[in-house]
Amino acid sequence: MMWLLFGYFATVSVVAGVLTVALRNAVHCAMALLTLLLHVAGLFVLLNAEFLFAVQIIVYAGAILILYLFVLMLMNLKTEEQHLHKKYAFLVFAGIAIFGELLILLFQSPYGGVIGSATPDLILQTGPSHAIGITMFSDYLLLFEVIGIFLLGAVIGAIVLAKTPAKTDPQEESAISSMP
């Protein structure tokens, strides 16, 4: 059952990652990115890393993606519809060839069936989520706040860049250009 879930999460993650880069419509790219982030969070659950699952959902799928969509709405991008071209057949063939090579490398890897020595009980004793939270908000509080300031600066910069310039009077523009 675990291999089936892993296969599902891994396949959808790879496909969504390719779609995130390949699609031309920015909103469709954002939806593919959301799919990718949610399925990577599913992989974290399979690894018994519930804290990373929660961080993936809250920080990446929640905050970062919303910030990205906010910037997209401010930019007001106009896109044309994508049409199928002749070069896509070559790209699909090249993608299948690269995927086949990766499968060959994966099956020949000496690390394919290595299982870690840590038991779930040992993981729960040495690194529970509340210990990570206490460390983050005590030892690394300054860094946590600096990242928040950087994100605030990014939002303000996006608003400034997306702001449309005010239209000037044609008479004022001609008067300014005729000055020596």
Side-chain angles (χ1 to χ4, degrees), residues 1-16 35-47 53:
M1 182 66 176
M2 287 294 257
W3 284 104
L4 183 65
L5 286 173
F6 173 77
Y8 166 73
F9 286 133
T11 304
V12 173
S13 296
V14 169
V15 170
T35 303
L36 170 67
L37 294 173
L38 292 175
H39 283 81
V40 169
L43 288 172
F44 285 140
V45 169
L46 292 179
L47 292 172
F53 162 77

Side-chain angles (χ1 to χ4, degrees), residues 3 13 17 27 42 50 61-63 65 71 75-76 80 85-86 95 113 117 119 121 142 148 154 158 163 169-170 174:
W3 284 104
S13 296
V27 176
E50 289 83 10
L65 193 64
V71 169
M75 297 293 255
N76 195 15
E80 299 174 3
H85 297 287
K86 292 180 183 178
S117 61
T119 63
D121 293 333
L142 179 64
K163 186 177 176 185
D169 244 355
S174 64

Side-chain angles (χ1 to χ4, degrees), residues 9-10 40 44 54 56 62 78 86 90 96 110 122 135 139 172 175:
F9 286 133
V40 169
F44 285 140
Q56 181 79 14
K78 302 288 184 203
K86 292 180 183 178
F90 174 73
I96 291 172
L122 181 63
T135 304
D139 297 340
E172 286 180 21

Side-chain angles (χ1 to χ4, degrees), residues 26-105:
V27 176
H28 294 160
C29 287
M31 292 300 110
L33 181 62
L34 176 65
T35 303
L36 170 67
L37 294 173
L38 292 175
H39 283 81
V40 169
L43 288 172
F44 285 140
V45 169
L46 292 179
L47 292 172
N48 292 326
E50 289 83 10
F51 179 74
L52 290 177
F53 162 77
V55 167
Q56 181 79 14
I57 297 293
I58 294 169
V59 174
Y60 290 108
I64 302 296
L65 193 64
I66 296 301
L67 181 67
Y68 178 72
L69 287 174
F70 180 66
V71 169
L72 282 179
M73 287 186 280
L74 284 175
M75 297 293 255
N76 195 15
L77 298 174
K78 302 288 184 203
T79 59
E80 299 174 3
E81 289 296 319
Q82 182 179 2
H83 299 287
L84 194 61
H85 297 287
K86 292 180 183 178
K87 67 179 180 181
Y88 288 126
F90 174 73
L91 292 176
V92 167
F93 176 72
I96 291 172
I98 290 172
F99 182 70
E101 290 176 7
L102 287 175
L103 283 178
I104 290 170
L105 286 175

